Amino acid sequence: MKLQKTTWVLLIVALFLGGFVYFYEIVGTPQREAAKEAEKQLFSFEEDEIQQVNIYIQEESRKFERVSEPEPGWRMTEPKEVPASDPSVAFLLNLLVEGKSDRIIPNVPPENLKDYGLDKPQAMVTVRLKNDETHEILLGKPDFNNSFLYAQIDPFSDKSQQSNVFLVPMDFEYAVNRPLSEWEQPQETITEETESSDAEDDESASEAESTTEEAEPPESQATPNNSDTEPEESTPEPTPTPDNQSPSASPSPENTSSSEEKKQSLEDEMASPNEEIEPENVPNDSESEDIPAE
């Protein structure tokens, strides 16, 4: 009897352990991996949520604002007001959105932050979202093999509290430590965009002019030109006559043509042989029959 109870207890325990292993290893593994990935992600916002980015390096600052006019993009507002280089800004934004931490050093006391170069950070990046939410990352010195940077993500305002130190990609250092000229949009690109905008304006103006011309015919079509009409038949001027000859004495064109026809017919008659004249010596057949033979 006791043996049967022990068997049932062991069977229940085995089933319980098997269910625990199943849910922990098979069902719970993807959830744990997702949680670990979420812990490694530096920030949870998306790129299109970012409205403003500020970079502070020692005593210098770079400020960028998302604009929609004249074209969607980014514009530098400090230290000068110029269009920003889209590739440089996009590289930094991609690190902020997609960047992950390789490792986290938890609960670092404030007095130990100097070991990571975070007592005086080499750079600070602040982000303001469209909903006015702000985030911050402090960049310290590289780790011992120059593979990662020590960083703080959204540090506490109370400096006396312990905080976590993250190891972030070295690309952050390359993204923020740029000459001012690399943050500005190249002048050639600005010129090309201006010329393209001017060309589009000229094309729009020409299309408007052509539409106006089609709607209203030009004056040359509305009013007929005298040069396009058929010329009127001009009356021939009379042939000048000599002083001693009256106008009536000059032969008219009809008389001249009739006299030429008569002259031509006379010439034709003279040129043709006279077929009606018979030869004199040819005897008449009727007369030769009346003479009797001797």
Side-chain angles (χ1 to χ4, degrees), residues 52-57 59-65 75-85 89 176 178-185:
Q52 185 178 4
V53 177
N54 300 332
I55 303 172
Y56 302 94
I57 302 177
E59 297 180 357
E60 299 181 357
S61 62
R62 311 275 190 267
K63 294 185 178 181
F64 305 91
E65 186 81 18
R75 186 172 184 83
M76 180 189 292
T77 58
E78 193 177 316
K80 58 173 67 174
E81 188 83 14
V82 293
S85 172
V89 175
V176 298
R178 292 178 181 270
L180 181 61
S181 59
E182 293 186 10
W183 290 111
E184 301 177 19
Q185 188 175 25

Coordinates of all heavy atoms in Angstrom, one line a residue, residues 52-57 59-65 75-85 89 176 178-185:
Q52 N 14.3 66.9 -32.6 CA 15.5 67.7 -32.4 C 16.6 66.9 -31.8 O 16.3 66.0 -30.9 CB 15.1 68.9 -31.4 CG 16.3 69.9 -31.3 CD 15.9 71.1 -30.4 OE1 14.8 71.1 -29.8 NE2 16.8 72.0 -30.2
V53 N 17.8 67.2 -32.2 CA 19.0 66.5 -31.7 C 20.1 67.5 -31.3 O 20.4 68.4 -32.2 CB 19.6 65.5 -32.7 CG1 20.8 64.8 -32.1 CG2 18.6 64.4 -33.0
N54 N 20.6 67.4 -30.1 CA 21.7 68.4 -29.7 C 22.9 67.6 -29.3 O 22.8 66.6 -28.6 CB 21.2 69.2 -28.5 CG 20.0 70.1 -28.8 OD1 19.7 70.4 -30.0 ND2 19.2 70.3 -27.8
I55 N 24.1 68.1 -29.7 CA 25.3 67.4 -29.4 C 26.2 68.5 -28.7 O 26.4 69.6 -29.2 CB 26.0 66.9 -30.7 CG1 25.1 66.0 -31.5 CG2 27.4 66.3 -30.3 CD1 25.7 65.6 -32.8
Y56 N 26.7 68.1 -27.5 CA 27.6 68.9 -26.7 C 28.9 68.2 -26.6 O 29.0 67.2 -26.0 CB 27.0 69.2 -25.3 CG 25.6 69.8 -25.4 CD1 24.5 69.1 -25.4 CD2 25.4 71.2 -25.5 CE1 23.2 69.6 -25.4 CE2 24.2 71.8 -25.6 CZ 23.1 71.0 -25.6 OH 21.8 71.6 -25.6
I57 N 30.0 68.9 -27.1 CA 31.3 68.3 -27.0 C 32.2 69.4 -26.4 O 32.4 70.5 -27.0 CB 31.9 68.0 -28.4 CG1 31.0 66.9 -29.1 CG2 33.3 67.4 -28.3 CD1 31.4 66.6 -30.5
E59 N 33.2 72.5 -25.0 CA 32.5 73.8 -25.0 C 31.7 74.1 -26.2 O 31.2 75.2 -26.4 CB 33.5 74.9 -24.7 CG 34.2 74.8 -23.3 CD 35.2 75.9 -23.1 OE1 35.4 76.7 -24.1 OE2 35.8 75.9 -22.0
E60 N 31.7 73.2 -27.2 CA 31.0 73.4 -28.4 C 29.7 72.7 -28.4 O 29.5 71.7 -27.7 CB 31.9 72.9 -29.6 CG 33.2 73.6 -29.7 CD 34.0 73.1 -30.9 OE1 33.5 72.2 -31.6 OE2 35.1 73.6 -31.2
S61 N 28.8 73.2 -29.3 CA 27.5 72.5 -29.4 C 27.0 72.5 -30.8 O 27.4 73.4 -31.6 CB 26.4 73.3 -28.5 OG 26.3 74.6 -29.0
R62 N 26.3 71.5 -31.2 CA 25.6 71.3 -32.5 C 24.2 71.0 -32.3 O 23.8 70.1 -31.5 CB 26.3 70.2 -33.3 CG 27.8 70.2 -33.3 CD 28.3 71.0 -34.4 NE 29.8 70.9 -34.5 CZ 30.7 71.6 -34.0 NH1 30.3 72.6 -33.1 NH2 32.0 71.4 -34.2
K63 N 23.3 71.8 -32.9 CA 21.9 71.6 -32.7 C 21.2 71.5 -34.1 O 21.5 72.3 -35.0 CB 21.3 72.8 -31.9 CG 21.7 72.9 -30.5 CD 21.0 74.0 -29.8 CE 21.5 74.1 -28.3 NZ 20.8 75.2 -27.5
F64 N 20.3 70.5 -34.1 CA 19.7 70.2 -35.4 C 18.2 70.1 -35.2 O 17.7 69.5 -34.2 CB 20.2 68.9 -36.0 CG 21.7 68.9 -36.1 CD1 22.5 68.4 -35.1 CD2 22.3 69.4 -37.3 CE1 23.9 68.4 -35.2 CE2 23.7 69.4 -37.4 CZ 24.5 68.9 -36.4
E65 N 17.4 70.6 -36.1 CA 16.0 70.6 -36.0 C 15.4 69.9 -37.3 O 15.9 70.2 -38.4 CB 15.5 72.0 -35.9 CG 14.0 72.1 -35.7 CD 13.6 71.9 -34.2 OE1 14.5 72.0 -33.3 OE2 12.4 71.6 -33.9
R75 N 17.9 70.7 -40.4 CA 18.6 72.0 -40.5 C 19.4 72.2 -39.3 O 18.9 72.0 -38.1 CB 17.6 73.1 -40.7 CG 18.2 74.4 -41.0 CD 17.1 75.5 -41.4 NE 17.7 76.7 -41.8 CZ 18.2 77.0 -42.9 NH1 18.2 76.1 -43.9 NH2 18.8 78.2 -43.2
M76 N 20.6 72.7 -39.4 CA 21.4 73.1 -38.3 C 21.0 74.5 -37.8 O 20.9 75.4 -38.6 CB 22.9 73.1 -38.7 CG 23.8 73.5 -37.5 SD 25.5 73.7 -38.0 CE 26.0 72.1 -38.5
T77 N 20.8 74.6 -36.5 CA 20.4 75.8 -35.9 C 21.4 76.5 -35.1 O 21.4 77.7 -34.7 CB 19.1 75.7 -35.1 OG1 19.3 74.7 -34.1 CG2 17.9 75.2 -35.9
E78 N 22.5 75.7 -34.7 CA 23.6 76.2 -33.9 C 24.8 75.4 -34.2 O 24.7 74.1 -34.3 CB 23.2 76.1 -32.4 CG 24.2 76.9 -31.5 CD 23.7 76.9 -30.1 OE1 22.5 77.1 -29.8 OE2 24.6 76.7 -29.2
P79 N 26.0 75.9 -34.4 CA 26.3 77.4 -34.3 C 26.0 78.3 -35.4 O 26.2 79.5 -35.3 CB 27.9 77.3 -34.1 CG 28.2 76.1 -34.9 CD 27.1 75.1 -34.8
K80 N 25.4 77.7 -36.5 CA 25.0 78.6 -37.6 C 23.7 78.0 -38.2 O 23.3 76.9 -38.0 CB 26.1 78.6 -38.7 CG 26.5 77.3 -39.3 CD 27.4 77.4 -40.5 CE 28.8 78.0 -40.1 NZ 29.7 78.0 -41.2
E81 N 23.0 78.9 -38.9 CA 21.7 78.5 -39.5 C 21.9 78.1 -40.9 O 21.9 78.9 -41.8 CB 20.8 79.7 -39.4 CG 19.3 79.4 -39.8 CD 18.5 78.8 -38.6 OE1 19.0 78.8 -37.5 OE2 17.4 78.2 -38.9
V82 N 22.1 76.8 -41.2 CA 22.3 76.3 -42.5 C 21.7 74.9 -42.7 O 21.4 74.3 -41.6 CB 23.8 76.1 -42.8 CG1 24.5 77.5 -42.9 CG2 24.5 75.2 -41.8
P83 N 21.4 74.5 -43.9 CA 20.9 73.1 -44.1 C 21.9 72.1 -43.6 O 23.1 72.2 -43.8 CB 20.7 73.0 -45.6 CG 20.5 74.4 -46.0 CD 21.4 75.2 -45.2
A84 N 21.5 71.0 -42.9 CA 22.4 70.0 -42.4 C 22.6 68.9 -43.4 O 21.8 68.7 -44.3 CB 21.8 69.4 -41.1
S85 N 23.8 68.3 -43.2 CA 24.1 67.1 -44.0 C 23.3 65.9 -43.7 O 23.3 65.4 -42.5 CB 25.6 66.8 -43.9 OG 25.9 65.6 -44.5
V89 N 23.6 63.3 -40.2 CA 22.5 63.3 -39.2 C 21.9 61.9 -39.2 O 21.6 61.3 -38.1 CB 21.5 64.4 -39.5 CG1 20.3 64.2 -38.6 CG2 22.1 65.8 -39.4
V176 N 29.7 61.6 -33.5 CA 29.6 63.0 -32.8 C 30.8 63.8 -33.1 O 30.7 65.0 -33.1 CB 29.3 62.8 -31.3 CG1 27.9 62.1 -31.1 CG2 30.4 62.1 -30.6
R178 N 32.8 65.1 -35.3 CA 32.9 65.5 -36.7 C 33.3 67.0 -36.8 O 32.8 67.8 -36.0 CB 31.6 65.3 -37.5 CG 31.2 63.9 -37.7 CD 29.9 63.8 -38.5 NE 29.5 62.4 -38.7 CZ 29.8 61.7 -39.7 NH1 30.6 62.2 -40.7 NH2 29.4 60.4 -39.9
P179 N 34.1 67.4 -37.9 CA 34.3 68.8 -38.1 C 32.9 69.5 -38.4 O 32.0 68.9 -38.9 CB 35.2 68.9 -39.3 CG 35.9 67.5 -39.3 CD 34.9 66.6 -38.8
L180 N 32.9 70.8 -38.2 CA 31.6 71.5 -38.4 C 31.3 71.4 -39.9 O 30.1 71.4 -40.3 CB 31.8 73.0 -38.0 CG 30.6 73.9 -38.2 CD1 29.4 73.4 -37.4 CD2 30.9 75.3 -37.8
S181 N 32.3 71.4 -40.8 CA 32.0 71.4 -42.2 C 31.2 70.1 -42.6 O 30.5 70.1 -43.6 CB 33.3 71.5 -43.0 OG 34.2 70.4 -42.7
E182 N 31.5 69.0 -41.9 CA 30.8 67.7 -42.3 C 29.3 67.7 -41.8 O 28.6 66.9 -42.3 CB 31.6 66.5 -41.7 CG 32.9 66.3 -42.3 CD 33.6 65.1 -41.8 OE1 32.9 64.3 -41.1 OE2 34.8 64.9 -42.0
W183 N 29.0 68.6 -40.9 CA 27.6 68.7 -40.5 C 26.8 69.6 -41.4 O 25.5 69.6 -41.3 CB 27.5 69.3 -39.1 CG 28.0 68.3 -38.0 CD1 29.1 68.5 -37.2 CD2 27.3 67.1 -37.6 NE1 29.2 67.4 -36.4 CE2 28.1 66.5 -36.6 CE3 26.2 66.4 -38.0 CZ2 27.8 65.4 -35.9 CZ3 25.9 65.2 -37.3 CH2 26.6 64.7 -36.3
E184 N 27.4 70.4 -42.2 CA 26.7 71.2 -43.2 C 26.5 70.5 -44.5 O 27.3 69.7 -44.9 CB 27.5 72.5 -43.4 CG 27.9 73.3 -42.2 CD 28.7 74.5 -42.5 OE1 28.8 74.9 -43.7 OE2 29.3 75.0 -41.5
Q185 N 25.4 70.9 -45.1 CA 25.1 70.4 -46.4 C 26.1 71.0 -47.4 O 26.3 72.2 -47.4 CB 23.7 70.7 -46.8 CG 23.2 70.0 -48.1 CD 21.8 70.2 -48.4 OE1 21.2 71.2 -48.0 NE2 21.1 69.3 -49.1

